Amino acid sequence: MRSIWNGAISFGLVSIPVKLINATENHSVSFRQIHLTDGGRVRYRKVCELDGEEVTSAEIGKGYEDADGSVIPITDEDLGSLPLPTAKTIEIVAFVPAGAIDPLQMDTAYYLSANGVPAAKPYTLLREALKRSRKVAVAKYALRGRERLGMLRVVDDVIAMHGLLWPDEIRTAEDVAPETGVKVRDAELDLADALMATLGEVDMDSLHDDYREAVEELVAAKAAGEVPQRAEPEDTGGRVIDLVAALENSVRAAKEARAGGAEGGEDAPVAKVTSMADHKGGKRTAAKKTTAKKTSASKTAEKKPAAKKTAASRTAAKKTTAKKTTAKKSAAKKTTAKKRSSTKSTPRKRTSA
C-alpha cells in the first residue's frame, strides 16, 4: 500500500520512523456530469476572475481571504517554516482509556507502518505497551496544512491511528431532542428489549452495500440495452402508528427471519413476545391461578388425613396379627422343650436276669 506521509512517532525520548497509510477506501459508484442534450462530458475549468483566462495547476497557489475581502497569499514555504514540532512528528501527549474518547470525534483512519529495520524494535515496544495497558495514545500531528488530533490503538499486530476532531469542532446536542415530554411505559420497554434480543448480534463482514449493487445492476442493464426493473416507491409519509403493535410485529418478523435463515448448527435464542393484552390481564390470570391452587390444596389436605387413618389401621392390624402368631409359635416351642426334658430325666427300669 502506498504511503501518504512519512515522519516519526515521538514516544518520550524514543523516536519511531513510520509511514502513514490509508486504512479505508471508498467503494461508492462514481458518476460523471454530462450534457443531457448530446451526452458530452461537462468539465470544470479554473479561470482567473481578474483577466478571465484559464490557469493551470502550476499557476495556482493558496491565499487567505481577510475579513475585508482582501486575499493574502500564503506559500508552502511559509507553512513549512512554522515552528510546529508536529510538522513531521506524531507527538504522543497522553495515554487514556479508550472509553475516554468520544466516538463523535472519530475521523479518518490510518495504519502506521514501521519505516525501516531500525524502527521495528521501538515500534513493537509501543505496540505491546498499548496492548498490555489496554489504553490508547492521544497524539498531535500535522497533515495537509493543518495540525490535527489523533488516537493510536492496536489493530491485530499493527498500530492504527484515527484522526480526531478537536473538542471545539463537536456541536452540542442542544435543541435536538424532542421538545415535548414523552413517557414510555414498562411494557413498551419490555417489547423493545425483546426486539433487541431477537435481532441479536451480527457478523459485520456479512453486511454489504445493497444500494451500490443495485446501481451496478442498473448500469449493466442499460449497457446491455435492457429495460431496468423499477421498484415501486414506498409510502414514507408521516403516519400515526400503534407503537406497541409495531413492536410486537417487529419481534415476530425478526423471529421468523432468524428461524428461516438458520442452516444447521444451533439456532440463536429468540425472545418471547408478550402482548399488551397479557400485560393488562396478567393480574386477573394470576389471581385465578392462585385461587385454583388454594382450592386444590384444600381438597388434597382433606383427603390426606383419611388416607393416613386407613393406612394406620391397616398397619395396626398387621402388627396385632404378627404378635399373635409370634406368641403361638413361642408357646409351641416351650411345650416341645418340656416334653423332651421330661423324657430325658426319667430313668429306665433295669430288667433282672
Side-chain angles (χ1 to χ4, degrees):
M1 291 185 284
R2 186 174 63 89
S3 62
I4 61 172
W5 179 88
N6 291 345
I9 299 175
S10 175
F11 178 32
L13 297 178
V14 178
S15 181
I16 310 171
V18 293
K19 295 184 291 184
L20 197 66
I21 302 169
N22 280 324
T24 60
E25 56 188 3
N26 189 356
H27 290 166
S28 299
V29 178
S30 59
F31 297 98
R32 304 293 185 187
Q33 291 185 325
I34 61 171
H35 186 199
L36 293 177
T37 303
D38 53 17
R41 285 277 304 274
V42 176
R43 299 178 181 273
Y44 289 105
R45 294 182 179 181
K46 297 181 179 180
V47 178
C48 177
E49 291 182 350
L50 296 179
D51 56 21
E53 295 182 1
E54 184 179 353
V55 295
T56 63
S57 298
E59 299 174 292
I60 299 175
K62 298 183 182 69
Y64 177 82
E65 186 175 359
D66 207 351
D68 58 0
S70 60
V71 178
I72 303 170
I74 302 294
T75 65
D76 291 338
E77 289 76 13
D78 294 334
L79 296 175
S81 62
L82 292 175
L84 284 178
T86 58
K88 282 292 182 180
T89 304
I90 300 173
E91 182 183 2
I92 295 177
V93 296
F95 292 89
V96 300
I101 304 297
D102 189 342
L104 285 173
Q105 291 184 254
M106 296 288 188
D107 202 1
T108 310
Y110 307 95
Y111 289 133
L112 295 174
S113 173
N115 192 2
V117 176
K121 183 63 179 290
Y123 182 95
T124 305
L125 172 64
L126 176 59
R127 182 191 68 196
E128 296 304 313
L130 287 171
K131 280 185 179 180
R132 191 167 72 171
S133 67
R134 298 181 180 179
K135 292 183 177 182
V136 297
V138 177
K140 294 169 67 176
Y141 66 102
L143 183 66
R144 297 189 179 98
R146 55 170 292 197
E147 188 173 55
R148 303 168 185 261
L149 199 60
M151 180 190 76
L152 277 64
R153 69 184 183 97
V154 178
V155 177
D156 296 330
D157 289 331
V158 178
I159 298 175
M161 182 172 72
H162 295 267
L164 299 178
L165 299 175
W166 295 96
D168 60 0
E169 293 178 319
I170 304 297
R171 292 179 175 178
T172 62
E174 186 179 1
D175 299 331
V176 177
E179 295 181 0
T180 58
V182 178
K183 292 184 179 180
V184 179
R185 292 177 292 175
D186 291 339
E188 294 168 337
L189 282 174
D190 292 340
L191 285 171
D193 290 340
L195 178 58
M196 293 168 62
T198 305
L199 292 175
E201 299 179 357
V202 66
D203 180 8
M204 297 298 292
D205 294 332
S206 67
L207 303 178
H208 57 279
D209 189 346
D210 293 326
Y211 180 77
R212 187 186 73 190
E213 291 182 0
V215 171
E216 290 173 348
E217 291 176 1
L218 170 65
V219 172
K222 299 200 74 170
E226 301 174 357
V227 178
Q229 295 181 354
R230 300 185 181 276
E232 293 295 332
E234 296 182 2
D235 181 13
T236 58
R239 291 174 296 176
V240 178
I241 61 172
D242 185 345
L243 180 59
V244 173
L247 286 170
E248 290 177 348
N249 293 333
S250 299
V251 173
R252 291 191 184 93
K255 288 172 65 176
E256 292 172 359
R258 290 180 68 85
E263 298 179 357
E266 297 180 358
D267 294 338
V270 294
K272 181 180 179 182
V273 181
T274 304
S275 66
M276 287 299 293
D278 294 338
H279 282 285
K280 292 178 180 178
K283 293 183 178 179
R284 296 178 181 175
T285 304
K288 289 181 180 179
K289 289 182 178 179
T290 304
T291 305
K293 288 182 178 179
K294 289 182 178 179
T295 305
S296 177
S298 62
K299 290 182 179 179
T300 305
E302 290 174 359
K303 291 180 180 180
K304 283 183 178 180
K308 287 183 179 180
K309 288 180 180 179
T310 304
S313 61
R314 289 177 181 174
T315 304
K318 288 181 180 180
K319 288 183 177 180
T320 304
T321 305
K323 286 182 180 180
K324 289 181 179 179
T325 304
T326 304
K328 287 181 180 180
K329 289 181 179 180
S330 300
K333 286 182 180 180
K334 289 180 180 180
T335 305
T336 305
K338 285 181 180 180
K339 287 181 179 179
R340 287 178 183 175
S341 176
S342 61
T343 303
K344 287 180 181 181
S345 60
T346 303
R348 293 181 180 179
K349 294 181 179 181
R350 293 181 183 182
T351 304
S352 56

